[in-house]
Amino acid sequence: MSSPSPLAADPPAAPSPTQATASPPAPHTPTEDAVAIFTGVLLISVGVAFFTSAGLLTGGTAGLAFLAHYATGIGFGKLFFVFNLPFYWLALRKLGRAFTVKTFIAVLLLSGLTELQSHFLQFAQLQPLYAAIAGGTITGAGFLVLFRHRCSLGGVGIAALYLQDRYGWRAGKIQMAVDCAIVLLALFTVEPLRVLGSIAGAVALNLVLAMNHRPGRYMGT
C-alpha cells in the first residue's frame, strides 16, 4: 500500500485570531546592528581578558589557531586568517552578504579591542575557576547579542548558525561540542588543570547560547 499523497492531506487548520493579526517582526535598523555589534564584541573582549589573564584556552577557530601555533611555530594571526577562509565562503554562500560583512567587521573590531585592552583593563588577582565561569558567561552573552543580529566572529560560529538554520540543531550545543573537543586537544600542550578550567569556561559560554538562542524563540531579524 502506497503512502498518501501530500496533495490529499487534510487542509491546514485555520489560523487563530492572534496568528491572523500578528505582524511580522520588524528588521533591525543599521544603527541597531552597529550598536549591537559593538556591544557584543565589547563583552566578548572582556571575556577574552578573563581567559588570557588566568592562562586559560579558548575554543572555536581561535583555539585551533593557538594549538597549531604551539605545534608548528607559525604566527597565530596567519593561522587564524587561513582557518577562517572556508567559513567566510560558507557564510557568503549560505547566510548572505549582509551576515558576512557584519561578521568581518566584528572580527576586525575584536582584533583591535584585544590589542588595546591591556591599557584599560588589568587584573591584579584572578582565580582560574572564577575566570573560566565568569569569562565564559560574559563571552556567551556577547555571542548571543551578535547572533541575534545575524552576526558572528567567524569560524565555528558561522557553521553553528548555518546548521541551526538548515537542520534546527541548536547553535549553542554545536559550538559546545566543538569547543570541548578543541580544548581536550590542548592536553598535548598544556597542563591538565588549565585544560579543565578551559572546559568549564566553554561549558559556561555555550550554556548561555543553548538556553537563549533556540530556533523560533527570538523573532528579531
Side-chain angles (χ1 to χ4, degrees), residues 1 11 25 30 59 61-62 65 86 112 118 122 128 141 143 147 175 178 185 215-216:
M1 180 181 297
T61 312
S118 62
Q122 296 181 5
F143 274 114
F147 284 0
Q175 193 153 341
V178 174
L185 289 175

Side-chain angles (χ1 to χ4, degrees), residues 54-137:
L56 302 174
L57 302 170
T58 59
T61 312
L64 286 174
F66 271 121
L67 291 176
H69 168 67
Y70 296 147
T72 66
I74 299 174
F76 169 80
K78 295 177 182 178
L79 292 167
F80 186 73
F81 176 78
V82 171
F83 287 168
N84 265 305
L85 288 179
F87 294 106
Y88 282 121
W89 174 83
L90 178 65
L92 185 62
R93 184 170 182 180
K94 300 295 184 179
L95 297 173
R97 181 178 299 176
F99 176 91
T100 306
V101 170
K102 287 188 285 187
T103 295
F104 184 73
I105 292 172
V107 170
L108 287 179
L109 181 58
L110 181 63
S111 299
L113 283 176
T114 52
E115 287 293 323
L116 298 173
Q117 198 167 50
S118 62
H119 299 290
F120 307 106
L121 181 63
Q122 296 181 5
F123 299 101
Q125 183 177 358
L126 193 60
Q127 203 277 335
L129 182 59
Y130 174 83
I133 296 175
T137 301

Side-chain angles (χ1 to χ4, degrees), residues 20 30 37 42 62 76 92 107 142 159 177-178 182 211 218 220:
I37 290 173
L42 182 62
F76 169 80
L92 185 62
V107 170
V178 174
I182 291 171
M211 291 188 297
Y218 182 70

Side-chain angles (χ1 to χ4, degrees), residues 162-183:
Y162 168 70
L163 291 172
Q164 176 168 286
D165 290 346
R166 181 68 176 84
Y167 300 106
W169 300 348
R170 293 185 188 176
K173 289 187 176 180
I174 296 169
Q175 193 153 341
M176 180 187 294
V178 174
D179 285 355
C180 288
I182 291 171
V183 173

